Amino acid sequence: MSTSRPASEARAGRFAAGGIALLVLAFGVVVWLAGWHLGADSAVYRAGALTLVHGDPLYTRDVLTALPDWVRLPFTYTPAAAPLFLPLALVPSGLVWGVIVFLSVVALIVVITVVSSPPGRASLLGRRWWALPAGTAIALVLEPVWKTLFLGQINLILMAFVVLDVLVLSLRRSRWAGVLIGVAAAIKLTPLIFVPHLFFTGRWKDGLRALGTFVALEAVMFAVIPVDAARFWRDSATDPSRVGSVHWIFNQSLNGLVNRATHLASWSLAVAVGVAAVLAVPAVWLVVRLHRRGEDAAALLVTAFYGLLLSPVSWSHHWVWCVPLLTLLVVKARWWAAAAVALLFVSQIVMLVPNGGDTEFGWGLGWSVLGNVYVLAAAAGILGLAGRELRLVRRSPQVVTV
């Protein structure tokens, strides 16, 4: 095969995948012109930016005045998120969803491209032009992905920031490594889990740069909106109920599982944190082992899924990390594992289990397993991989490549 063949295949794949993103943008324009109501969360982003411009309080129990009348959601993001959302204030209200969804699909394409092109190995995308558009199309039917797009959420964009930071900038020893993680964390606190990931994998400068970026952005907001910034860190940041019912099935975190099992007992969060602390031991050990033998994408995914378990609230649409996981399994030709992951997230199982109100408290064992399936699958995956790694260590004291 000539050297130009892989490059032309990759270009054709990117062109086809880009066509999918443009089709999504075109649909967003149709939604705007038709006056349909999609993307409640994207409306909140725009309203947060406009609220900052108008000098109104961001963290209030009242609905933001800049929200359209069909949205009744609070602004749950950090103070630094509001100015970062300012470009959306320039977009017509009805078109914001289309813009966010377009950027999200572009982010999806970026993530699949990076994970399927590991350093030192032939890229899957260079061998099959259809791999990238096919992977993008398949990803769109995964429950976390289509729900992220439907809501106009930014989960895919933040995931792309982290993937680019850890698997591109950091591996290239860029002086900008860590900055994207800091920006992502300044928008939504959950990406802070990747700061210790950088520390545990020996990238101290990148970790400090990420932490410094986060602190600097939040510090600026204390100067700009001191009352609102103080209110967020004093009250809103420690109030999971502000984002919804923590026992609802769609909160696929350890805290959600324990709250459902204990009927919202006051000690549920403490138990969830305790379980997460125990699970941190095999998770961190696994991250370090994978990183040392050059499996940086796998190490990143362990941290990502552990972070989903640890967070007090991990809505099912936060589980977009199933996309790079599925991509990595395909690249490694782990076909049975890839099929299992695809089936789990394509099945829409969390949409089918009875839920809402106090329904979760009446689940029997069967519904409890299905209703906590993301949590159980992630925990089992981390423990299973750690057990497998331990067996490899016992067989040979040397680092083994899979």
Side-chain angles (χ1 to χ4, degrees):
M1 182 183 292
S2 67
T3 56
S4 63
R5 176 68 181 276
S8 62
E9 292 273 347
R11 281 195 299 270
R14 288 194 295 268
F15 182 80
I20 295 175
L22 290 176
L23 284 174
V24 168
L25 179 60
F27 180 68
V29 173
V30 171
V31 168
W32 170 42
L33 296 177
W36 298 338
H37 296 160
L38 291 177
D41 287 301
S42 59
V44 172
Y45 306 150
R46 184 176 184 273
L50 289 173
T51 299
L52 177 67
V53 172
H54 297 157
D56 296 329
L58 280 168
Y59 305 104
T60 172
R61 289 294 178 181
D62 298 325
V63 176
L64 298 180
T65 56
L67 277 172
D69 57 11
W70 57 275
V71 180
R72 291 291 180 268
L73 294 173
F75 188 80
T76 59
Y77 303 88
T78 74
L84 293 173
F85 290 146
L86 280 174
L88 297 178
L90 304 176
V91 180
S93 177
L95 188 57
V96 170
W97 178 77
V99 170
I100 289 291
V101 171
F102 168 72
L103 294 176
S104 294
V105 175
V106 170
L108 186 66
I109 294 168
V110 168
V111 168
I112 294 173
T113 300
V114 171
V115 175
S116 61
S117 307
R121 299 182 186 178
S123 169
L124 175 66
L125 306 182
R127 300 195 304 270
R128 299 288 187 271
W129 74 266
W130 46 262
L132 182 57
T136 303
I138 292 171
L140 294 178
V141 301
L142 302 175
E143 187 267 343
V145 175
W146 72 252
K147 190 176 289 184
T148 286
L149 299 179
F150 175 77
L151 295 172
Q153 266 279 349
I154 55 171
N155 304 311
L156 290 164
I157 297 171
L158 298 184
M159 179 174 67
F161 280 11
V162 174
V163 167
L164 285 171
D165 208 327
V166 176
L167 300 183
V168 178
L169 297 179
S170 186
L171 292 182
R172 293 178 181 176
R173 301 185 183 278
S174 168
R175 66 180 64 184
W176 296 100
V179 171
L180 287 177
I181 288 177
V183 172
I187 296 173
K188 206 170 190 176
L189 294 176
T190 47
L192 281 173
I193 190 68
F194 298 104
V195 175
H197 175 90
L198 293 173
F199 290 152
F200 282 123
T201 54
R203 291 171 278 193
W204 286 90
K205 289 183 179 179
D206 298 351
L208 291 173
R209 202 175 290 120
L211 196 58
T213 301
F214 167 77
V215 171
L217 289 172
E218 299 300 344
V220 167
M221 297 314 294
F222 269 99
V224 176
I225 47 172
V227 174
D228 250 2
R231 184 180 294 121
F232 174 82
W233 292 105
R234 184 184 64 243
D235 301 323
S236 301
T238 56
D239 181 13
S241 64
R242 180 176 167 82
V243 299
S245 301
V246 293
H247 74 282
W248 197 20
I249 186 176
F250 297 113
N251 179 15
Q252 290 290 309
S253 68
L254 286 170
N255 185 47
L257 182 152
V258 176
N259 270 285
R260 287 188 284 274
T262 64
H263 296 202
L264 293 174
S266 59
W267 38 266
S268 294
L269 179 59
V271 171
V273 171
V275 173
V278 173
L279 190 59
V281 176
V284 171
W285 179 72
L286 191 56
V287 166
V288 173
R289 285 275 299 180
L290 291 169
H291 168 72
R292 286 179 177 173
R293 67 163 175 258
E295 299 284 350
D296 289 288
L300 177 63
L301 287 170
V302 172
T303 299
F305 283 102
Y306 175 76
L308 289 167
L309 295 175
L310 175 65
S311 176
V313 177
S314 292
W315 299 125
S316 66
H317 55 81
H318 293 168
W319 287 71
V320 291
W321 286 93
C322 63
V323 174
L325 172 60
L326 189 55
T327 304
L328 186 62
L329 290 172
V330 170
V331 168
K332 289 177 169 291
R334 304 288 195 266
W335 302 114
W336 285 108
V341 170
L343 179 62
L344 173 61
F345 291 101
V346 170
S347 69
Q348 324 294 323
I349 188 63
V350 296
M351 304 292 294
L352 303 177
V353 176
N355 68 86
D358 295 335
T359 304
E360 285 84 347
F361 300 148
W363 287 348
L365 178 60
W367 285 131
S368 294
V369 171
L370 295 176
N372 294 294
V373 66
Y374 290 4
V375 181
L376 297 174
I382 291 173
L383 292 173
L385 287 173
R388 178 178 179 273
E389 200 69 23
L390 185 59
R391 290 193 295 273
L392 291 176
V393 171
R394 288 174 176 173
R395 289 175 187 170
S396 173
Q398 299 178 352
V399 176
V400 181
T401 303
V402 294

PDB file of all heavy atoms in Angstrom, residues 299-324:
ATOM      1  N   ALA A 299      -5.676   4.232  30.775  1.00  0.00           N
ATOM      2  CA  ALA A 299      -5.509   4.844  32.096  1.00  0.00           C
ATOM      3  C   ALA A 299      -6.468   6.014  32.274  1.00  0.00           C
ATOM      4  O   ALA A 299      -7.081   6.185  33.334  1.00  0.00           O
ATOM      5  CB  ALA A 299      -4.065   5.313  32.267  1.00  0.00           C
ATOM      6  N   LEU A 300      -6.612   6.822  31.229  1.00  0.00           N
ATOM      7  CA  LEU A 300      -7.524   7.964  31.279  1.00  0.00           C
ATOM      8  C   LEU A 300      -8.962   7.506  31.491  1.00  0.00           C
ATOM      9  O   LEU A 300      -9.716   8.115  32.258  1.00  0.00           O
ATOM     10  CB  LEU A 300      -7.411   8.774  29.994  1.00  0.00           C
ATOM     11  CG  LEU A 300      -8.363   9.967  29.852  1.00  0.00           C
ATOM     12  CD1 LEU A 300      -8.095  11.003  30.938  1.00  0.00           C
ATOM     13  CD2 LEU A 300      -8.238  10.599  28.469  1.00  0.00           C
ATOM     14  N   LEU A 301      -9.346   6.421  30.831  1.00  0.00           N
ATOM     15  CA  LEU A 301     -10.713   5.931  30.947  1.00  0.00           C
ATOM     16  C   LEU A 301     -11.003   5.394  32.345  1.00  0.00           C
ATOM     17  O   LEU A 301     -12.117   5.543  32.855  1.00  0.00           O
ATOM     18  CB  LEU A 301     -10.971   4.849  29.897  1.00  0.00           C
ATOM     19  CG  LEU A 301     -11.097   5.376  28.469  1.00  0.00           C
ATOM     20  CD1 LEU A 301     -11.110   4.225  27.468  1.00  0.00           C
ATOM     21  CD2 LEU A 301     -12.364   6.207  28.323  1.00  0.00           C
ATOM     22  N   VAL A 302     -10.022   4.771  32.981  1.00  0.00           N
ATOM     23  CA  VAL A 302     -10.211   4.318  34.361  1.00  0.00           C
ATOM     24  C   VAL A 302     -10.523   5.507  35.256  1.00  0.00           C
ATOM     25  O   VAL A 302     -11.454   5.478  36.071  1.00  0.00           O
ATOM     26  CB  VAL A 302      -8.969   3.565  34.874  1.00  0.00           C
ATOM     27  CG1 VAL A 302      -9.100   3.275  36.375  1.00  0.00           C
ATOM     28  CG2 VAL A 302      -8.771   2.263  34.112  1.00  0.00           C
ATOM     29  N   THR A 303      -9.765   6.591  35.096  1.00  0.00           N
ATOM     30  CA  THR A 303     -10.011   7.801  35.888  1.00  0.00           C
ATOM     31  C   THR A 303     -11.381   8.386  35.579  1.00  0.00           C
ATOM     32  O   THR A 303     -12.108   8.817  36.482  1.00  0.00           O
ATOM     33  CB  THR A 303      -8.923   8.853  35.617  1.00  0.00           C
ATOM     34  OG1 THR A 303      -7.649   8.320  35.999  1.00  0.00           O
ATOM     35  CG2 THR A 303      -9.190  10.132  36.394  1.00  0.00           C
ATOM     36  N   ALA A 304     -11.743   8.417  34.299  1.00  0.00           N
ATOM     37  CA  ALA A 304     -13.025   9.005  33.904  1.00  0.00           C
ATOM     38  C   ALA A 304     -14.200   8.252  34.521  1.00  0.00           C
ATOM     39  O   ALA A 304     -15.123   8.861  35.074  1.00  0.00           O
ATOM     40  CB  ALA A 304     -13.144   9.009  32.377  1.00  0.00           C
ATOM     41  N   PHE A 305     -14.162   6.932  34.452  1.00  0.00           N
ATOM     42  CA  PHE A 305     -15.280   6.156  34.991  1.00  0.00           C
ATOM     43  C   PHE A 305     -15.266   6.155  36.520  1.00  0.00           C
ATOM     44  O   PHE A 305     -16.333   6.141  37.145  1.00  0.00           O
ATOM     45  CB  PHE A 305     -15.265   4.731  34.426  1.00  0.00           C
ATOM     46  CG  PHE A 305     -15.789   4.667  33.020  1.00  0.00           C
ATOM     47  CD1 PHE A 305     -14.933   4.576  31.940  1.00  0.00           C
ATOM     48  CD2 PHE A 305     -17.157   4.732  32.776  1.00  0.00           C
ATOM     49  CE1 PHE A 305     -15.415   4.537  30.643  1.00  0.00           C
ATOM     50  CE2 PHE A 305     -17.652   4.695  31.484  1.00  0.00           C
ATOM     51  CZ  PHE A 305     -16.786   4.600  30.411  1.00  0.00           C
ATOM     52  N   TYR A 306     -14.089   6.198  37.112  1.00  0.00           N
ATOM     53  CA  TYR A 306     -14.039   6.334  38.567  1.00  0.00           C
ATOM     54  C   TYR A 306     -14.638   7.682  38.976  1.00  0.00           C
ATOM     55  O   TYR A 306     -15.376   7.770  39.968  1.00  0.00           O
ATOM     56  CB  TYR A 306     -12.606   6.217  39.090  1.00  0.00           C
ATOM     57  CG  TYR A 306     -12.527   6.475  40.575  1.00  0.00           C
ATOM     58  CD1 TYR A 306     -12.937   5.501  41.486  1.00  0.00           C
ATOM     59  CD2 TYR A 306     -12.088   7.701  41.074  1.00  0.00           C
ATOM     60  CE1 TYR A 306     -12.900   5.746  42.847  1.00  0.00           C
ATOM     61  CE2 TYR A 306     -12.055   7.951  42.435  1.00  0.00           C
ATOM     62  CZ  TYR A 306     -12.462   6.964  43.318  1.00  0.00           C
ATOM     63  OH  TYR A 306     -12.443   7.220  44.677  1.00  0.00           O
ATOM     64  N   GLY A 307     -14.346   8.718  38.214  1.00  0.00           N
ATOM     65  CA  GLY A 307     -14.906  10.040  38.502  1.00  0.00           C
ATOM     66  C   GLY A 307     -16.422  10.048  38.425  1.00  0.00           C
ATOM     67  O   GLY A 307     -17.100  10.707  39.224  1.00  0.00           O
ATOM     68  N   LEU A 308     -16.988   9.311  37.466  1.00  0.00           N
ATOM     69  CA  LEU A 308     -18.443   9.207  37.355  1.00  0.00           C
ATOM     70  C   LEU A 308     -19.038   8.518  38.581  1.00  0.00           C
ATOM     71  O   LEU A 308     -20.117   8.885  39.053  1.00  0.00           O
ATOM     72  CB  LEU A 308     -18.819   8.450  36.090  1.00  0.00           C
ATOM     73  CG  LEU A 308     -18.568   9.193  34.770  1.00  0.00           C
ATOM     74  CD1 LEU A 308     -18.674   8.233  33.589  1.00  0.00           C
ATOM     75  CD2 LEU A 308     -19.544  10.342  34.601  1.00  0.00           C
ATOM     76  N   LEU A 309     -18.341   7.514  39.099  1.00  0.00           N
ATOM     77  CA  LEU A 309     -18.805   6.830  40.304  1.00  0.00           C
ATOM     78  C   LEU A 309     -18.686   7.738  41.525  1.00  0.00           C
ATOM     79  O   LEU A 309     -19.559   7.740  42.399  1.00  0.00           O
ATOM     80  CB  LEU A 309     -17.992   5.550  40.529  1.00  0.00           C
ATOM     81  CG  LEU A 309     -18.127   4.455  39.476  1.00  0.00           C
ATOM     82  CD1 LEU A 309     -17.177   3.310  39.786  1.00  0.00           C
ATOM     83  CD2 LEU A 309     -19.552   3.944  39.394  1.00  0.00           C
ATOM     84  N   LEU A 310     -17.618   8.493  41.611  1.00  0.00           N
ATOM     85  CA  LEU A 310     -17.330   9.326  42.781  1.00  0.00           C
ATOM     86  C   LEU A 310     -18.235  10.539  42.889  1.00  0.00           C
ATOM     87  O   LEU A 310     -18.643  10.925  43.995  1.00  0.00           O
ATOM     88  CB  LEU A 310     -15.870   9.784  42.727  1.00  0.00           C
ATOM     89  CG  LEU A 310     -15.399  10.773  43.802  1.00  0.00           C
ATOM     90  CD1 LEU A 310     -15.457  10.127  45.186  1.00  0.00           C
ATOM     91  CD2 LEU A 310     -13.986  11.264  43.482  1.00  0.00           C
ATOM     92  N   SER A 311     -18.560  11.166  41.774  1.00  0.00           N
ATOM     93  CA  SER A 311     -19.349  12.394  41.792  1.00  0.00           C
ATOM     94  C   SER A 311     -20.697  12.168  42.479  1.00  0.00           C
ATOM     95  O   SER A 311     -21.352  11.154  42.257  1.00  0.00           O
ATOM     96  CB  SER A 311     -19.587  12.885  40.363  1.00  0.00           C
ATOM     97  OG  SER A 311     -20.436  14.019  40.365  1.00  0.00           O
ATOM     98  N   PRO A 312     -21.141  13.098  43.330  1.00  0.00           N
ATOM     99  CA  PRO A 312     -22.453  12.939  43.980  1.00  0.00           C
ATOM    100  C   PRO A 312     -23.596  12.807  42.980  1.00  0.00           C
ATOM    101  O   PRO A 312     -24.571  12.113  43.235  1.00  0.00           O
ATOM    102  CB  PRO A 312     -22.587  14.229  44.814  1.00  0.00           C
ATOM    103  CG  PRO A 312     -21.194  14.670  45.059  1.00  0.00           C
ATOM    104  CD  PRO A 312     -20.437  14.295  43.817  1.00  0.00           C
ATOM    105  N   VAL A 313     -23.450  13.491  41.840  1.00  0.00           N
ATOM    106  CA  VAL A 313     -24.460  13.413  40.793  1.00  0.00           C
ATOM    107  C   VAL A 313     -23.777  13.170  39.450  1.00  0.00           C
ATOM    108  O   VAL A 313     -22.993  13.992  38.990  1.00  0.00           O
ATOM    109  CB  VAL A 313     -25.305  14.697  40.721  1.00  0.00           C
ATOM    110  CG1 VAL A 313     -26.293  14.610  39.558  1.00  0.00           C
ATOM    111  CG2 VAL A 313     -26.054  14.943  42.029  1.00  0.00           C
ATOM    112  N   SER A 314     -24.070  12.024  38.852  1.00  0.00           N
ATOM    113  CA  SER A 314     -23.591  11.712  37.498  1.00  0.00           C
ATOM    114  C   SER A 314     -24.798  11.295  36.681  1.00  0.00           C
ATOM    115  O   SER A 314     -25.180  10.124  36.656  1.00  0.00           O
ATOM    116  CB  SER A 314     -22.547  10.583  37.522  1.00  0.00           C
ATOM    117  OG  SER A 314     -21.355  10.990  38.151  1.00  0.00           O
ATOM    118  N   TRP A 315     -25.427  12.273  36.034  1.00  0.00           N
ATOM    119  CA  TRP A 315     -26.585  11.952  35.214  1.00  0.00           C
ATOM    120  C   TRP A 315     -26.173  11.004  34.099  1.00  0.00           C
ATOM    121  O   TRP A 315     -25.015  10.999  33.669  1.00  0.00           O
ATOM    122  CB  TRP A 315     -27.216  13.218  34.643  1.00  0.00           C
ATOM    123  CG  TRP A 315     -27.723  14.188  35.653  1.00  0.00           C
ATOM    124  CD1 TRP A 315     -27.395  15.497  35.769  1.00  0.00           C
ATOM    125  CD2 TRP A 315     -28.675  13.940  36.713  1.00  0.00           C
ATOM    126  NE1 TRP A 315     -28.070  16.087  36.817  1.00  0.00           N
ATOM    127  CE2 TRP A 315     -28.863  15.142  37.414  1.00  0.00           C
ATOM    128  CE3 TRP A 315     -29.383  12.810  37.132  1.00  0.00           C
ATOM    129  CZ2 TRP A 315     -29.729  15.253  38.509  1.00  0.00           C
ATOM    130  CZ3 TRP A 315     -30.239  12.910  38.223  1.00  0.00           C
ATOM    131  CH2 TRP A 315     -30.408  14.116  38.888  1.00  0.00           C
ATOM    132  N   SER A 316     -27.105  10.232  33.611  1.00  0.00           N
ATOM    133  CA  SER A 316     -26.768   9.243  32.593  1.00  0.00           C
ATOM    134  C   SER A 316     -26.127   9.882  31.365  1.00  0.00           C
ATOM    135  O   SER A 316     -25.294   9.266  30.696  1.00  0.00           O
ATOM    136  CB  SER A 316     -28.007   8.440  32.189  1.00  0.00           C
ATOM    137  OG  SER A 316     -28.961   9.249  31.537  1.00  0.00           O
ATOM    138  N   HIS A 317     -26.471  11.142  31.078  1.00  0.00           N
ATOM    139  CA  HIS A 317     -25.857  11.787  29.913  1.00  0.00           C
ATOM    140  C   HIS A 317     -24.414  12.211  30.175  1.00  0.00           C
ATOM    141  O   HIS A 317     -23.706  12.609  29.249  1.00  0.00           O
ATOM    142  CB  HIS A 317     -26.704  12.978  29.430  1.00  0.00           C
ATOM    143  CG  HIS A 317     -26.996  14.012  30.469  1.00  0.00           C
ATOM    144  ND1 HIS A 317     -26.096  14.986  30.826  1.00  0.00           N
ATOM    145  CD2 HIS A 317     -28.111  14.233  31.213  1.00  0.00           C
ATOM    146  CE1 HIS A 317     -26.639  15.767  31.746  1.00  0.00           C
ATOM    147  NE2 HIS A 317     -27.847  15.329  32.012  1.00  0.00           N
ATOM    148  N   HIS A 318     -23.975  12.134  31.433  1.00  0.00           N
ATOM    149  CA  HIS A 318     -22.556  12.392  31.726  1.00  0.00           C
ATOM    150  C   HIS A 318     -21.677  11.216  31.301  1.00  0.00           C
ATOM    151  O   HIS A 318     -20.457  11.362  31.201  1.00  0.00           O
ATOM    152  CB  HIS A 318     -22.353  12.635  33.220  1.00  0.00           C
ATOM    153  CG  HIS A 318     -22.989  13.894  33.722  1.00  0.00           C
ATOM    154  ND1 HIS A 318     -23.133  14.176  35.067  1.00  0.00           N
ATOM    155  CD2 HIS A 318     -23.524  14.951  33.062  1.00  0.00           C
ATOM    156  CE1 HIS A 318     -23.735  15.343  35.222  1.00  0.00           C
ATOM    157  NE2 HIS A 318     -23.982  15.833  34.009  1.00  0.00           N
ATOM    158  N   TRP A 319     -22.287  10.063  31.044  1.00  0.00           N
ATOM    159  CA  TRP A 319     -21.532   8.854  30.747  1.00  0.00           C
ATOM    160  C   TRP A 319     -21.102   8.773  29.281  1.00  0.00           C
ATOM    161  O   TRP A 319     -20.968   7.685  28.710  1.00  0.00           O
ATOM    162  CB  TRP A 319     -22.354   7.624  31.136  1.00  0.00           C
ATOM    163  CG  TRP A 319     -22.417   7.448  32.633  1.00  0.00           C
ATOM    164  CD1 TRP A 319     -23.100   8.218  33.524  1.00  0.00           C
ATOM    165  CD2 TRP A 319     -21.768   6.442  33.401  1.00  0.00           C
ATOM    166  NE1 TRP A 319     -22.918   7.755  34.804  1.00  0.00           N
ATOM    167  CE2 TRP A 319     -22.109   6.662  34.760  1.00  0.00           C
ATOM    168  CE3 TRP A 319     -20.949   5.353  33.079  1.00  0.00           C
ATOM    169  CZ2 TRP A 319     -21.638   5.847  35.788  1.00  0.00           C
ATOM    170  CZ3 TRP A 319     -20.487   4.541  34.102  1.00  0.00           C
ATOM    171  CH2 TRP A 319     -20.830   4.795  35.438  1.00  0.00           C
ATOM    172  N   VAL A 320     -20.868   9.926  28.668  1.00  0.00           N
ATOM    173  CA  VAL A 320     -20.395   9.959  27.279  1.00  0.00           C
ATOM    174  C   VAL A 320     -19.006   9.336  27.130  1.00  0.00           C
ATOM    175  O   VAL A 320     -18.552   9.080  26.004  1.00  0.00           O
ATOM    176  CB  VAL A 320     -20.374  11.407  26.730  1.00  0.00           C
ATOM    177  CG1 VAL A 320     -21.785  11.945  26.552  1.00  0.00           C
ATOM    178  CG2 VAL A 320     -19.551  12.320  27.642  1.00  0.00           C
ATOM    179  N   TRP A 321     -18.343   9.058  28.252  1.00  0.00           N
ATOM    180  CA  TRP A 321     -17.038   8.391  28.186  1.00  0.00           C
ATOM    181  C   TRP A 321     -17.154   6.973  27.637  1.00  0.00           C
ATOM    182  O   TRP A 321     -16.143   6.313  27.370  1.00  0.00           O
ATOM    183  CB  TRP A 321     -16.374   8.399  29.564  1.00  0.00           C
ATOM    184  CG  TRP A 321     -15.864   9.748  29.927  1.00  0.00           C
ATOM    185  CD1 TRP A 321     -16.502  10.718  30.638  1.00  0.00           C
ATOM    186  CD2 TRP A 321     -14.595  10.301  29.551  1.00  0.00           C
ATOM    187  NE1 TRP A 321     -15.719  11.848  30.737  1.00  0.00           N
ATOM    188  CE2 TRP A 321     -14.543  11.622  30.083  1.00  0.00           C
ATOM    189  CE3 TRP A 321     -13.500   9.824  28.837  1.00  0.00           C
ATOM    190  CZ2 TRP A 321     -13.441  12.449  29.900  1.00  0.00           C
ATOM    191  CZ3 TRP A 321     -12.408  10.647  28.657  1.00  0.00           C
ATOM    192  CH2 TRP A 321     -12.377  11.943  29.188  1.00  0.00           C
ATOM    193  N   CYS A 322     -18.385   6.499  27.437  1.00  0.00           N
ATOM    194  CA  CYS A 322     -18.554   5.207  26.772  1.00  0.00           C
ATOM    195  C   CYS A 322     -18.062   5.268  25.327  1.00  0.00           C
ATOM    196  O   CYS A 322     -17.708   4.234  24.746  1.00  0.00           O
ATOM    197  CB  CYS A 322     -20.020   4.774  26.815  1.00  0.00           C
ATOM    198  SG  CYS A 322     -21.178   5.857  25.939  1.00  0.00           S
ATOM    199  N   VAL A 323     -18.001   6.462  24.741  1.00  0.00           N
ATOM    200  CA  VAL A 323     -17.553   6.593  23.343  1.00  0.00           C
ATOM    201  C   VAL A 323     -16.066   6.264  23.208  1.00  0.00           C
ATOM    202  O   VAL A 323     -15.692   5.396  22.404  1.00  0.00           O
ATOM    203  CB  VAL A 323     -17.870   7.992  22.782  1.00  0.00           C
ATOM    204  CG1 VAL A 323     -17.261   8.158  21.388  1.00  0.00           C
ATOM    205  CG2 VAL A 323     -19.373   8.211  22.733  1.00  0.00           C
ATOM    206  N   PRO A 324     -15.159   6.930  23.956  1.00  0.00           N
ATOM    207  CA  PRO A 324     -13.747   6.535  23.834  1.00  0.00           C
ATOM    208  C   PRO A 324     -13.493   5.112  24.315  1.00  0.00           C
ATOM    209  O   PRO A 324     -12.590   4.440  23.806  1.00  0.00           O
ATOM    210  CB  PRO A 324     -13.005   7.563  24.695  1.00  0.00           C
ATOM    211  CG  PRO A 324     -14.041   8.159  25.599  1.00  0.00           C
ATOM    212  CD  PRO A 324     -15.322   8.127  24.816  1.00  0.00           C
TER     213      PRO A 324
END
